Amino acid sequence: MLFNSFEFIFIFFPIVFIVYFILNKYRLIKLGKLWIVLSSLFFYSWWNIAYLPLLLASLFFNFYLGKLLARKENTKSKALLTFGIIANVGLLGYFKYTDFFLTNVNFLFKTTFDLFNLALPLAISFFTFQQIAYLVDAYRKETKDYSFFDYALFVTFFPQLIAGPIVYHAELIPQLEGLKGKILNYKNVAIGFFIFIVGLFKKVAIADTFAAWANKGFANSASLSVAEGWITSLSYTMQLYFDFSGYSDMAIGLALMFNIRLPLNFNSPYKSLSIQEFWRRWHMTLNTFLTKYLYIPLGGSRKGVLRTYINIMIIFTVSGIWHGAGWTFIIWGVMHGIASCINRLWSRKQLKLPPLLAWFITFNFVNIAWVFFRATSVNQALEVLSSMFNIRNLRLEPTLDAQTALFNTPVEFSINFSVIQIIYVLMIAGLLIAFFAKNTYELSKTRLTNSIVGSVYITALIAVVVYLAFSSFSNSEFIYFNF
């Protein structure tokens, strides 16, 4: 079930929301938690009920293993933790990387192993990392005696179940306790609804528009001009940001309507002046996980310069592998690792660039790296990059065939603009929003959410979103559902 679908917006969410607060009003707190858990499992099963037993098995396994790890008298905690991590990573690896491994074995050793063609269970990357963090914290005796319902709600809470933000038990479970958070809070509902609508607008009005051009550009990667190459790469750069940050906004907004605050996942990353700053602003909860549960245990920056750079390369390579089973993701991760090492070395030398130049270098590196992230093969990525920097193929405007086939927009325009002019205008508008506009979190802190002007703004935004959500843009999946 998609956040931008009719079923979710007008049926599923209103029913879940109303029933939950009715149960809480009559002090049926445990029944309210059970209602959210069952609703979340239904939400998950909507995609493919065949994988529900896998999620349930993961829940029971990690909850009871966490109970064992949390016991102070347990003398085998380290062995149990190792077993738990291997089991979780093994499950993720089986579904996500088996075919990738067999493909490479067949290529290297000329073997003919049949591929399993496994379908990736929805959200497995997210709930696996979330539960690994729980096991590590249980091993460190940082967890409490949670009930199974609290634990199940922490893992399956439907706003963040599919694509994050990645949350931790200490952030979410305490919010489930006490009566104050169970009472309908109209301010939270208003702000949460505002954040949800902004996220929905990002998805259906901006991300899905750029998606049409990015998809067609990558599909025709061998025949792009310079202009088409840059339009393709920048379209994906815009699509990915507005798609994923839009999902995170919707998740945060939905949770806030239930009086639950999820962590911020994006903080205007394309405004960054360095690659290190970019990673403090982009997919912040994944960065926190990799730092806390991998980089620091490896020694962080405490074991010398060389070891620090090795650790940086490890976490970015792991990030690439986590995102997808393919050499393109590994290359993307390694690129960011190398860039982060160079940035750290540059900082150690106390060298500084003018802010505009620093931003220009950072953004263009990120944009180029995203080409590998999006491409279905290394060859396709190289074709797009070759078109972007091929001065022999310099055409500032796509050919007529390209305008009508490669970048054909689903929206009809009555004004007399060519397709490429429309693309340039929308590209500039998207870039200006990413570079200069306040992000959703900043907007939610302004008076916009509780003023008359804000009411008009939100009403207009809702009207646009409703129109777009159920037009030809609707029912498109979020990019991170694939990870």
Side-chain angles (χ1 to χ4, degrees):
M1 195 180 302
L2 295 165
F3 287 166
N4 53 314
S5 67
F6 178 91
E7 296 86 356
F8 181 86
I9 294 174
F10 294 107
I11 301 175
F12 176 82
F13 178 74
I15 292 174
V16 174
F17 181 82
I18 292 169
V19 172
Y20 175 71
F21 281 105
I22 288 176
L23 292 173
N24 287 336
K25 182 178 180 180
Y26 292 99
R27 304 295 179 94
L28 301 172
I29 305 302
K30 290 185 178 179
L31 195 57
K33 290 181 182 179
L34 177 60
W35 169 250
I36 295 294
V37 171
L38 293 177
S39 299
S40 298
L41 294 177
F42 175 83
F43 175 82
Y44 184 82
S45 301
W46 185 268
W47 302 93
N48 188 343
I49 197 170
Y51 290 113
L52 179 60
L54 182 70
L55 175 60
L56 292 174
S58 178
L59 278 175
F60 282 106
F61 172 81
N62 286 289
F63 174 72
Y64 288 106
L65 184 60
K67 286 281 190 183
L68 291 175
L69 288 169
R71 292 178 180 174
K72 293 183 179 180
E73 68 276 9
N74 195 327
T75 59
K76 298 181 179 179
S77 292
K78 192 170 185 177
L80 283 174
L81 176 63
T82 303
F83 169 69
I85 292 175
I86 291 174
N88 280 280
V89 173
L91 183 69
L92 176 63
Y94 172 73
F95 282 102
K96 199 166 186 175
Y97 306 108
T98 298
D99 284 346
F100 174 65
F101 175 76
L102 291 175
T103 298
N104 283 280
V105 168
N106 287 339
F107 175 79
L108 290 173
F109 301 103
K110 310 302 180 184
T111 53
T112 57
F113 292 115
D114 293 332
L115 301 183
F116 287 23
N117 295 315
L118 297 168
L120 184 66
L122 192 66
I124 190 171
S125 296
F126 285 91
F127 69 69
T128 297
F129 267 26
Q130 200 159 307
Q131 293 189 103
I132 287 175
Y134 173 77
L135 293 181
V136 173
D137 287 351
Y139 170 76
R140 295 171 176 172
K141 316 305 180 191
E142 296 174 359
T143 59
K144 296 181 180 179
D145 190 22
Y146 303 128
S147 70
F148 178 74
F149 282 145
D150 283 343
Y151 179 79
L153 183 51
F154 148 65
V155 176
T156 67
F157 187 43
F158 70 87
Q160 55 83 41
L161 170 61
I162 308 300
I166 298 172
V167 296
Y168 305 97
H169 64 94
E171 293 175 325
L172 195 144
I173 295 181
Q175 298 185 62
L176 305 175
E177 302 171 352
L179 288 175
K180 187 176 180 180
K182 308 299 185 297
I183 300 171
L184 187 62
N185 185 316
Y186 292 101
K187 182 178 179 180
N188 283 348
V189 171
I191 296 175
F193 181 68
F194 171 80
I195 294 172
F196 176 82
I197 288 295
V198 172
L200 187 58
F201 182 83
K202 284 183 180 181
K203 168 60 177 172
V204 300
I206 304 179
D208 287 354
T209 300
F210 284 116
W213 306 329
N215 292 340
K216 290 184 179 180
F218 276 94
N220 294 272
S221 58
S223 57
L224 301 176
S225 69
V226 171
E228 292 163 348
W230 281 97
I231 288 172
T232 297
S233 66
L234 287 171
S235 291
Y236 183 69
T237 293
M238 293 294 103
Q239 178 201 356
L240 182 60
Y241 170 65
F242 287 109
D243 188 285
F244 194 22
S245 70
Y247 179 94
S248 295
D249 287 346
M250 284 185 268
I252 290 170
L254 290 168
L256 186 58
M257 286 188 255
F258 288 97
N259 299 321
I260 292 176
R261 297 182 181 275
L262 297 181
L264 185 66
N265 213 19
F266 289 90
N267 187 18
S268 302
Y270 291 162
K271 297 177 182 178
S272 303
L273 302 184
S274 70
I275 199 63
Q276 285 184 307
E277 183 184 356
F278 172 81
W279 278 105
R280 289 194 294 268
R281 292 170 172 261
W282 176 277
H283 205 344
M284 296 155 68
T285 57
L286 175 62
N287 187 41
T288 299
F289 176 90
L290 292 174
T291 300
K292 183 177 180 180
Y293 297 100
L294 185 59
Y295 180 70
I296 292 176
L298 285 172
S301 57
R302 304 186 307 274
K303 296 188 177 182
V305 176
L306 179 60
R307 182 66 178 271
T308 298
Y309 293 149
I310 292 173
N311 291 341
I312 290 172
M313 291 302 302
I314 289 173
I315 65 167
F316 278 105
T317 303
V318 169
S319 177
I321 294 171
W322 178 84
H323 276 93
W327 285 107
T328 53
F329 292 105
I330 295 174
I331 291 171
W332 170 81
V334 169
M335 287 176 68
H336 274 275
I338 293 172
S340 295
C341 289
I342 293 172
N343 185 219
R344 182 176 285 264
L345 180 62
W346 186 270
S347 299
R348 283 175 59 86
K349 299 293 184 181
Q350 296 184 338
L351 302 172
K352 289 187 177 181
L353 292 173
L356 184 60
L357 180 59
W359 166 83
F360 180 81
I361 293 172
T362 301
F363 178 75
N364 278 283
F365 169 78
V366 169
N367 179 59
I368 290 169
W370 283 142
V371 173
F372 283 96
F373 193 86
R374 167 59 178 82
T376 56
S377 66
V378 175
N379 184 63
Q380 186 185 64
L382 294 176
E383 287 176 344
V384 173
L385 290 173
S386 176
S387 70
M388 292 166 63
F389 298 99
N390 184 5
I391 58 174
R392 295 181 180 179
N393 196 26
L394 181 60
R395 297 197 305 273
L396 295 180
E397 187 166 316
T399 63
L400 180 61
D401 289 341
Q403 289 186 42
T404 57
L406 183 55
F407 298 118
N408 184 31
T409 175
V411 179
E412 294 182 2
F413 294 88
S414 57
I415 51 181
N416 189 25
F417 281 154
S418 69
V419 172
I420 189 59
Q421 287 172 321
I422 295 166
I423 291 173
Y424 285 153
V425 170
L426 294 179
M427 183 71 69
I428 292 170
L431 291 170
L432 289 175
I433 291 172
F435 298 154
F436 300 109
K438 289 184 177 181
N439 58 45
T440 312
Y441 175 77
E442 292 168 336
L443 287 173
S444 71
K445 296 298 181 183
T446 66
R447 293 182 179 180
L448 186 65
T449 56
N450 57 11
S451 65
I452 295 175
V453 175
S455 299
V456 174
Y457 173 82
I458 294 172
T459 302
L461 195 60
I462 292 171
V464 173
V465 167
V466 169
Y467 169 75
L468 291 173
F470 305 110
S471 67
S472 58
F473 289 104
S474 66
N475 294 324
S476 59
E477 289 189 1
F478 294 86
I479 292 175
Y480 264 67
F481 283 12
N482 298 315
F483 305 141

